[in-house]
Amino acid sequence: MSLDWVYWAISWILLFWHSVWDAIGVPVNAVIGTNWAWILSIIFLVVTVRVILFPVFVKQIKSQRAMQALQPKVKELQEKHKGDRETLQKEMMELYRTEKANPLMGCLPMFLQIPVFLGLFHVLRRLDPGKQAKTLYGWTAEQFDSAATAKLFTAPIAGKFGSTADELARLQANGTTVKVIAGILVLIMMATTYLTSRQMILKTGWAEDPQQRMVQKLMLYGIPLSLLVSGAIFPIGVIIYWVTNNLFTLGQQQWVLRKFPPPPVIGKDGKPIPAPAKKAQPTKGGLFGRAKQTDAQPETKPTTPGKALAPKPGARPANPKKGRPAKRQG
């Protein structure tokens, strides 16, 4: 299937935002060798896509809530069909169908953004002064040349860590500068990708379903590590898009998780399971290495009741400092 409609859509959004920033008068290569009009165009491409996909993101959160509510039933099925993986999978699929829960919904927003990523990747790869089809996908020759020479800290947005010497020469770029800027951005891309997955898992918890847990581990560890290799072929503009998208996701998830906190875990008796209380741990310190109490209750010492120490009515008060003389034996 042709993706020309994706390339047209991405080009249109980029050119629209560039015209907006150009009309405002955003500086071009005047501040730290950066064409902010094109950088902001890529950033607001993310904003445009995320606004369009916001309803899908809400469905993703609802699906994750439904999957979390089903965890006690999933655990029961795992105990019931322990050792029979085929029957367990059938029972779990039937449970998801009955409860109208989709385990793959959590990955849907990411999958829907893949065409956008591929479209931007394709468009930025075309920003080569040696290419003849400058007016493809609605670009004018002037817009094409402007984007082809757009830079971030003197590194062209069409350049990449693995750019060849010929490509760098056509872009009039310094190879060391491109590698440094692209390398730093790749590390930021890996870190923010890891943080977005970690944020969601910490709030919703690890899934009991082995299939769901495997997907969580893949998103948490597999994807960030794969970017260490694949990031070498991404143009700098694509990495800017990825990092901006991750930062947008972090903020959006934080807002949604705070506004709609995860539901309490329900036990087999139908009652919510309270979170385990943290035990107070003594910490070393204080005078002569004594342990300090970290519990909320203050330390108490055993005391003798006052009534036991009081003298009886009519009796002389005893003086504990003076002892009685011993009786002589006759």
Side-chain angles (χ1 to χ4, degrees):
M1 184 179 69
S2 176
L3 292 177
D4 280 351
W5 66 274
V6 176
Y7 307 147
W8 276 95
I10 299 302
S11 297
W12 185 88
I13 296 173
L14 282 175
L15 294 175
F16 168 78
W17 283 115
H18 181 264
S19 65
V20 171
W21 305 123
D22 194 40
I24 294 175
V26 173
V28 177
N29 296 333
V31 183
I32 324 178
T34 301
N35 188 318
W36 292 108
W38 283 110
I39 301 299
L40 288 173
S41 298
I42 295 174
I43 292 174
F44 274 79
L45 168 64
V46 175
V47 176
T48 304
V49 172
R50 294 309 296 263
V51 168
I52 294 173
L53 293 181
F54 185 76
V56 180
F57 179 78
V58 173
K59 288 184 179 180
Q60 175 196 20
I61 297 296
K62 290 181 179 179
S63 175
Q64 289 173 338
R65 294 288 187 269
M67 293 296 300
Q68 190 175 11
L70 290 177
Q71 291 308 306
K73 294 183 179 180
V74 170
K75 198 168 183 179
E76 289 181 7
L77 290 176
Q78 289 174 341
E79 294 176 357
K80 180 179 179 181
H81 302 290
K82 198 171 184 179
D84 190 353
R85 189 175 184 83
E86 184 177 354
T87 304
L88 175 62
Q89 291 296 331
K90 289 181 180 179
E91 291 288 338
M92 289 178 63
M93 294 304 295
E94 180 64 23
L95 175 65
Y96 294 150
R97 188 188 65 82
T98 304
E99 299 293 336
K100 297 180 180 180
N102 188 354
L104 299 179
M105 180 61 73
C107 302
L108 184 59
M110 182 182 70
F111 289 143
L112 290 179
Q113 291 184 74
I114 290 178
V116 180
F117 172 81
L118 294 176
L120 181 62
F121 182 85
H122 176 80
V123 169
L124 291 180
R125 283 185 62 189
R126 288 186 55 250
L127 297 180
D128 187 338
K131 294 185 180 296
Q132 299 298 324
K134 295 184 177 183
T135 59
L136 195 62
Y137 307 130
W139 293 68
T140 65
E142 182 181 0
Q143 290 169 333
F144 182 93
D145 292 334
S146 174
T149 57
K151 293 178 174 62
L152 174 67
F153 305 132
T154 71
I157 62 174
K160 50 186 179 292
F161 188 90
S163 292
T164 64
D166 291 339
E167 290 173 342
L168 292 172
R170 289 195 298 270
L171 293 171
Q172 299 179 357
N174 180 277
T176 302
T177 302
V178 171
K179 281 181 168 54
V180 169
I181 299 300
I184 293 174
L185 287 175
V186 167
L187 293 178
I188 297 174
M189 176 173 62
M190 293 173 61
T192 52
T193 301
Y194 169 80
L195 289 175
T196 53
S197 299
R198 182 175 179 270
Q199 180 190 50
M200 183 61 71
I201 292 174
L202 287 178
K203 293 293 184 180
T204 59
W206 287 95
E208 295 290 343
D209 178 14
Q211 182 181 0
Q212 278 291 103
R213 184 179 286 261
M214 183 178 65
V215 172
Q216 286 178 324
K217 288 183 177 180
L218 175 63
M219 296 182 66
L220 184 62
Y221 303 112
I223 294 178
L225 288 176
S226 67
L227 295 176
L228 185 62
V229 178
S230 59
I233 65 172
F234 293 164
I236 289 176
V238 170
I239 304 177
I240 294 172
Y241 171 86
W242 194 304
V243 171
T244 306
N245 187 65
N246 286 343
L247 295 176
F248 197 100
T249 301
L250 283 170
Q252 188 171 261
Q253 286 182 169
Q254 182 66 22
W255 178 80
V256 172
L257 292 172
R258 181 176 296 179
K259 191 173 180 62
F260 306 102
V265 180
I266 305 301
K268 294 181 180 180
D269 56 355
K271 297 180 179 180
I273 301 176
K278 293 184 178 180
K279 295 183 179 180
Q281 298 292 337
T283 57
K284 292 184 179 180
L287 189 61
F288 305 117
R290 287 185 175 181
K292 292 183 178 180
Q293 290 284 342
T294 58
D295 200 348
Q297 296 181 352
E299 184 180 3
T300 57
K301 295 181 180 180
T303 57
T304 306
K307 292 183 178 180
L309 297 177
K312 296 180 180 180
R316 293 180 63 185
N319 190 349
K321 295 184 179 180
K322 296 182 180 180
R324 293 182 179 179
K327 294 182 178 180
R328 295 181 180 182
Q329 295 182 356

